[in-house]
Amino acid sequence: MNKLVVMKFGGTSVEDAVAINRTAGIVQGRCDKGLAPVVVVSAMATVTDQLLAAAAAAGQGDREGALAISARLRNRHVETAAKLVSAEGISELSRYIEAEFASLEEVLRGLAAVGELTPRISDMIVAEGERLSSRIIAEAFRHRGLDAVHVDSRTCIITDAQHCKAVPQDALIEQRLKEYVLPLAAEGRIVVMGGFIGATEKGVTTTLGRGGSDFTAALVGGALDAGAIEIWTDVNGIMTTDPRVVPDALRVKTISFEEAAELAYFGAKVLHPATILPAVKKNIPVLVLNSRNAENEGTRIISLAPHCRSPFKSIAVKRRLTIIDVVASRMLMSHGYLRAIFEVFDRHKCPVDMVSTSEVSVSLTVDSNEKLPAIAADLSQLADVKYEGRKALVCMVGENIRGQQGIAARVFQAIRHVNVRMISQGASEINMSFMIEEDDVEEAIRSLHAEFFNDPDPEIFDVEAVRKIEESIG
Ligand code: ADP
Ligand code: ASP
Ligand code: MG
């Protein structure tokens, strides 16, 4: 067995000194089992949002607002570091943190004066979250007796220059990781690196898109042929739906790569959509685990999932979507019409989630975004255009819907009180998705969950956990 294991800890798993100490314990546990961990960490919880808010404020000329956010973040990082690192070790780390905030503030002041936030500056600001967390965590690990060493991800995760959603350059990444990380891991040292961030070949800081630390973990695991990739988060694994919506959602014990990718793409925040790809290519198992409940066995994502008697494994929901209706009777069926429509989206670099066509119209859904008025203006050159926000896409995923009869009838019977705007089945054989109003999400998900997970297959779902809770309630 390959001993290398990539362990990614999300924001909540490193949110404060207590959480970071827990993380150190989990990593120590892997070392005790003879494994060689490479650790990828997110920024401390909410830091990315706050850095983005500071950047936005500065970009609008609100210098004081931006500096106030930065001051709060500085205190949080300094205080966390002081709790983790002893008095003799802290001075160098404190100097690092202070220097980072001094340069962040300089950038924010400059930005407020210029009043224009570019994607390149945004990446430079937001990358601070992972740069700081990874340095602090590496130092904290050393103080707990782990032989940790910090590696700046920007030396290894080489991307193109599409700021805020940069595309990793696989061959270069593999070469750099083999040069800078593999020898350290081979010596028995624990590399700690920040997720989400990278750099162009010229060294300009980039980021991989929100939630991108999962992606970093998979890139590292794929490039170094890891034996496993562990995604440590704040829930017991991939659940039958978001436990914030349905608190008694069940843990899915095993799920296929294909199903997990579909869920991630359609909004199950627990995993970043691109995460799966580098792991699939190399057939590396991915585990989703709970850092607050490390004993739990989590979810195992593998290439072929065992048979499941339930049609669905999980229900994902993607909110804040907009439906765009393009109506053009005169262009009906005309050759090249759809291409002309899609070219508009392409020009604005706006991905489309779902498409449905009728005799005279095409409906498309996209993430609500600031480009919509410009997209609508371009589309109105071709046809009549209407767009409406506050929509949500519900996506039900399971390999077993293939060939089962009557599933759609059960789905729509369960949500008969909800207005369904668009339906899609068939784009992928393992998902059934439809658009509803954002306000109806909670009711729809609860009804669907009750319909499809009331008699769960114990081979696939953690039915034991439910029994234990019921027993404890008596
Ligand atoms: P991290 O900071 O560890 O990356 P995220 O907040 O990105 O964590 O993802 C974990 C969250 O994903 C959970 O707290 C949960 O609310 C949400 N989530 C959405 N759908 C699911 C699902 N099907 N299974 C588990 N968690 C889900
Ligand atoms: N810190 C980044 C974010 O919040 C990346 C991550 O946590 O995966 O989006
Ligand atoms: Mg995440």
Side-chain angles (χ1 to χ4, degrees):
M1 191 191 83
N2 185 348
K3 287 193 178 142
L4 199 102
V5 53
V6 177
M7 305 177 75
K8 176 260 170 177
F9 293 91
T12 43
S13 303
V14 296
E15 65 188 348
D16 54 23
V18 173
I20 293 173
N21 271 325
R22 207 162 35 216
T23 297
I26 294 170
V27 174
Q28 180 69 62
R30 289 294 181 266
C31 297
D32 294 346
K33 283 188 178 160
L35 295 169
V38 173
V39 176
V40 173
V41 294
S42 289
M44 294 165 72
T46 75
V47 167
T48 305
D49 288 337
Q50 292 181 63
L51 286 165
L52 285 171
Q60 285 158 13
D62 178 9
R63 180 171 174 266
E64 297 316 312
L67 292 177
I69 297 172
S70 163
R72 278 200 298 277
L73 287 175
R74 174 203 294 243
N75 286 344
R76 179 168 166 201
H77 284 88
V78 168
E79 281 169 15
T80 305
K83 285 185 192 148
L84 289 163
V85 179
S86 63
E88 22 337 330
I90 193 70
S91 61
E92 199 196 326
L93 185 59
S94 296
R95 266 201 304 279
Y96 171 77
I97 299 172
E98 294 295 348
E100 287 302 307
F101 276 99
S103 64
L104 174 65
E105 279 161 21
E106 207 172 309
V107 173
L108 291 173
R109 280 196 199 94
L111 186 55
V114 180
E116 196 196 332
L117 177 61
T118 61
R120 179 175 166 154
I121 301 286
S122 176
D123 271 354
M124 189 175 151
I125 292 172
V126 82
E128 212 51 81
E130 270 73 6
R131 291 181 56 204
L132 287 159
S133 66
S134 56
R135 270 295 288 264
I136 294 172
I137 291 163
E139 202 56 47
F141 280 10
R142 268 199 292 277
H143 275 72
R144 293 258 323 216
L146 291 163
D147 189 6
V149 51
H150 179 254
V151 169
D152 188 333
S153 294
R154 296 172 303 169
T155 58
C156 298
I157 306 299
I158 307 302
T159 71
D160 70 4
Q162 283 185 59
H163 287 282
C164 305
K165 225 176 176 101
V167 178
Q169 309 292 295
D170 294 343
L172 279 172
I173 290 175
E174 183 169 333
Q175 186 193 324
R176 302 279 182 103
L177 287 166
K178 285 189 170 153
E179 189 177 341
Y180 299 125
V181 172
L182 200 56
L184 293 166
E187 275 172 32
R189 305 199 67 191
I190 299 165
V191 170
V192 179
M193 45 199 293
F196 176 58
I197 61 176
T200 64
E201 257 192 286
K202 289 189 179 143
V204 179
T205 301
T206 55
T207 61
L208 302 176
R210 293 304 307 268
S213 296
D214 298 341
F215 197 3
T216 308
L219 288 168
V220 175
L224 300 182
D225 282 309
I229 298 166
E230 299 180 346
I231 306 290
W232 290 86
T233 184
D234 60 352
V235 281
N236 279 345
I238 295 184
M239 313 292 281
T240 45
T241 191
D242 188 343
R244 285 183 210 176
V245 180
V246 179
D248 53 0
L250 298 159
R251 174 172 61 91
V252 185
K253 294 186 198 169
T254 318
I255 197 165
S256 71
F257 279 126
E258 219 188 326
E259 290 169 324
E262 204 79 7
L263 279 171
Y265 182 74
F266 285 103
K269 192 178 166 230
V270 65
L271 218 59
H272 180 280
T275 306
I276 301 296
L277 210 59
V280 177
K281 279 191 195 154
K282 297 261 176 97
N283 204 11
I284 301 170
V286 177
L287 288 123
V288 181
L289 298 154
N290 189 350
S291 67
R292 294 173 182 167
N293 182 16
E295 303 309 308
N296 193 287
E297 66 190 26
T299 299
R300 200 175 168 78
I301 309 173
I302 50 176
S303 49
L304 280 179
H307 178 76
C308 172
R309 72 164 190 246
S310 326
F312 297 112
K313 295 267 173 63
S314 185
I315 309 169
V317 53
K318 197 166 182 182
R319 297 172 211 242
R320 284 178 289 283
L321 297 181
T322 294
I323 294 188
I324 306 177
D325 292 316
V326 187
V327 183
S329 43
R330 63 200 156 84
M331 310 281 280
L332 173 67
M333 297 295 201
S334 79
H335 161 82
Y337 177 48
L338 280 178
R339 194 190 60 204
I341 291 178
F342 279 106
E343 264 170 12
V344 172
F345 289 91
D346 194 35
R347 221 171 24 247
H348 290 274
K349 293 201 165 63
C350 177
V352 172
D353 281 312
M354 196 170 166
V355 186
S356 87
T357 59
S358 80
E359 197 189 356
V360 292
S361 68
V362 183
S363 299
L364 310 105
T365 71
V366 298
D367 273 329
S368 301
N369 63 59
E370 70 283 0
K371 295 175 196 155
L372 279 170
I375 293 172
D378 282 4
L379 288 171
S380 64
Q381 310 281 316
L382 305 167
D384 295 332
V385 182
K386 268 194 326 227
Y387 65 95
E388 213 184 309
R390 296 190 51 76
K391 301 286 175 281
L393 181 63
V394 175
C395 174
M396 313 207 30
V397 174
E399 284 180 347
N400 257 16
I401 56 176
R402 286 189 182 121
Q404 281 206 36
Q405 285 179 353
I407 303 289
R410 275 175 72 193
V411 168
F412 295 111
Q413 173 66 16
I415 52 161
R416 60 193 173 282
H417 308 299
V418 170
N419 181 18
V420 176
R421 288 289 300 267
M422 278 167 77
I423 301 174
S424 147
Q425 195 202 348
S428 134
E429 281 191 322
I430 63 164
N431 105 40
M432 192 183 280
S433 22
F434 46 89
M435 294 291 289
I436 59 175
E437 300 294 328
E438 222 173 75
D439 292 340
D440 292 335
V441 162
E442 314 269 313
E443 190 198 324
I445 302 291
R446 284 197 199 108
S447 306
L448 288 165
H449 197 269
E451 170 66 22
F452 287 100
F453 298 104
N454 63 349
D455 175 28
D457 185 339
E459 288 295 312
I460 303 295
F461 303 101
D462 185 6
V463 181
E464 264 303 280
V466 182
R467 197 182 51 76
K468 281 189 197 140
I469 293 168
E470 280 168 359
E471 274 175 11
S472 71
I473 296 169

